[in-house]
Amino acid sequence: MSDEFTAQELRELEAELGELAADFGDFEMSDEDSAGASSGELGELEAELSGTELEVFGADAGDGDVMSLSAMAENEADALFVGRFLRNKVKKLIRKLIRLVKKYRKLASCVPKVTAAVIAFKRGKYATALRRAWAAYRCIRSKL
């Protein structure tokens, strides 16, 4: 089996990745989001965040830039709604990614990224699972 995609596989994969891109668009994610900031920029940000109510977005939040749903929501019902919404969207994304890596052997190198998303999802860390699913999506895109 060749390492190249056939024309038919490419068309199918492009269509499925287009759907995934639209799903990730719900979270306003783009390749620019993955560039990351330099350590100098982060140091300056951390200094500015220190002692403010925004500090919860800093490294002390337990999972990098993740804020708890209860801290974001105005009440418990809001937190439950947002949590369910995020969980369902991330679940849908991960299922699509799983289907792709199982369907196309040429995406085998992306399986660990999908696995990382699944692990975070199983632990209930849906924002982390979303970021890891985004990394898996970028990995798949890079294989085209």
Side-chain angles (χ1 to χ4, degrees):
M1 182 175 248
S2 167
D3 283 343
E4 298 297 317
F5 288 101
T6 66
Q8 177 66 25
E9 286 176 329
L10 265 177
R11 282 191 300 274
E12 290 174 4
L13 191 52
E14 282 291 345
E16 292 184 79
L17 289 174
E19 288 179 26
L20 273 169
D23 291 336
F24 278 114
D26 290 344
F27 296 102
E28 298 181 1
M29 297 181 90
S30 68
D31 286 328
E32 294 171 9
D33 294 337
S34 13
S38 71
S39 60
E41 291 168 327
L42 289 176
E44 184 178 340
L45 175 61
E46 291 300 324
E48 292 300 323
L49 287 173
S50 181
T52 70
E53 63 188 59
L54 296 173
E55 193 168 25
V56 72
F57 287 107
D60 296 330
D63 194 22
D65 59 351
V66 177
M67 183 180 194
S68 74
L69 290 176
S70 58
M72 285 190 296
E74 293 182 22
N75 59 52
E76 190 174 331
D78 288 347
L80 289 173
F81 173 78
V82 172
R84 277 190 217 115
F85 172 80
L86 180 60
R87 180 185 178 278
N88 291 338
K89 290 296 272 187
V90 172
K91 183 178 178 180
K92 179 181 172 185
L93 290 166
I94 291 173
R95 281 185 172 164
K96 287 181 179 183
L97 292 167
I98 291 167
R99 189 176 68 247
L100 287 174
V101 296
K102 284 185 173 184
K103 184 175 181 178
Y104 300 104
R105 286 179 158 188
K106 297 163 186 107
L107 301 176
S109 63
C110 300
V111 170
K113 292 183 183 307
V114 175
T115 302
V118 169
I119 290 168
F121 185 87
K122 284 174 54 178
R123 291 183 179 155
K125 296 182 176 271
Y126 305 124
T128 299
L130 175 63
R131 285 194 313 275
R132 291 179 179 170
W134 177 246
Y137 167 79
R138 287 190 334 268
C139 177
I140 291 169
R141 290 276 319 156
S142 74
K143 302 301 176 197
L144 300 183

